[in-house]
Amino acid sequence: MKRLVSTTISAALIGAGLVAGAAAPASAAPNCGDTTQYSIGNKKTVWRTTQVHSDWAKPGVTISYAKNKTGSVTATGTATLGAEAGVVFSKASASFSVSVGKTWSKSDTWTYSAKVKKKAGKSRGRLMMYHQAKGFSVTKWRWVPSATSCKKKVYWKKSNIVAPVKKNSNLWGIQYA
């Protein structure tokens, strides 16, 4: 009989301990993950001037340009990104489905011609090489626990970032002044 009572009491104590150990406190915060996110928004394609251009010509003149020169474009609006610039360019590249970066540079022989037209208020024009770039804004954020759920915490947002595409994507046109 002593053995039966002892076994019953032991089972009751062990069972109570298991139930008490399994219960979660009512005030436990949700698990929101621990990953910083970067969201790309306000996406647009822009064309940035390079330093590859002809001399100026008056309206009516056809400009022919043939020169071996290096064209280059540098990203703008990225000075405040610091060490996070690489992550931002990677996210932007994925978002645009084209590789973008801090700089683009290409040496080549550029050969083009175009006629300078008359434009109101403009007295001259020149052939100008433009390089494709992507303009965007980036927001750094993460999910953080609140009383009963996860809420979005924004750390910062940077706008007016323009990064050149890494491929050779150029456009020639007349720049008027």
Side-chain angles (χ1 to χ4, degrees), residues 25-87:
S27 64
N31 180 5
C32 301
D34 193 29
T35 306
T36 299
Q37 303 288 323
Y38 296 87
S39 298
I40 305 297
N42 302 319
K43 300 185 324 183
K44 60 187 172 188
T45 297
V46 296
W47 294 92
R48 291 293 191 189
T49 58
T50 68
Q51 76 286 7
V52 179
H53 57 78
S54 69
D55 291 333
W56 293 100
K58 292 185 177 219
V61 173
T62 298
I63 303 170
S64 292
Y65 181 83
K67 197 171 218 181
N68 187 312
K69 198 161 184 176
T70 300
S72 62
V73 175
T74 301
T76 58
T78 60
T80 59
L81 295 177
E84 294 173 293
V87 174

Side-chain angles (χ1 to χ4, degrees), residues 158-173:
K158 313 275 185 200
S159 299
N160 301 318
I161 296 172
V162 178
V165 299
K166 290 187 176 183
K167 68 181 182 175
N168 194 26
S169 180
N170 304 311
L171 175 72
W172 284 84

Side-chain angles (χ1 to χ4, degrees), residues 83-117:
E84 294 173 293
V87 174
V88 170
F89 289 143
S90 176
K91 286 288 186 182
S93 294
S95 181
F96 282 106
S97 298
V98 65
S99 184
V100 300
K102 186 172 183 169
T103 61
W104 166 84
S105 181
K106 176 152 176 69
S107 293
D108 205 344
T109 299
W110 311 102
T111 307
Y112 292 92
S113 66
K115 186 173 183 174
V116 179
K117 297 178 182 176

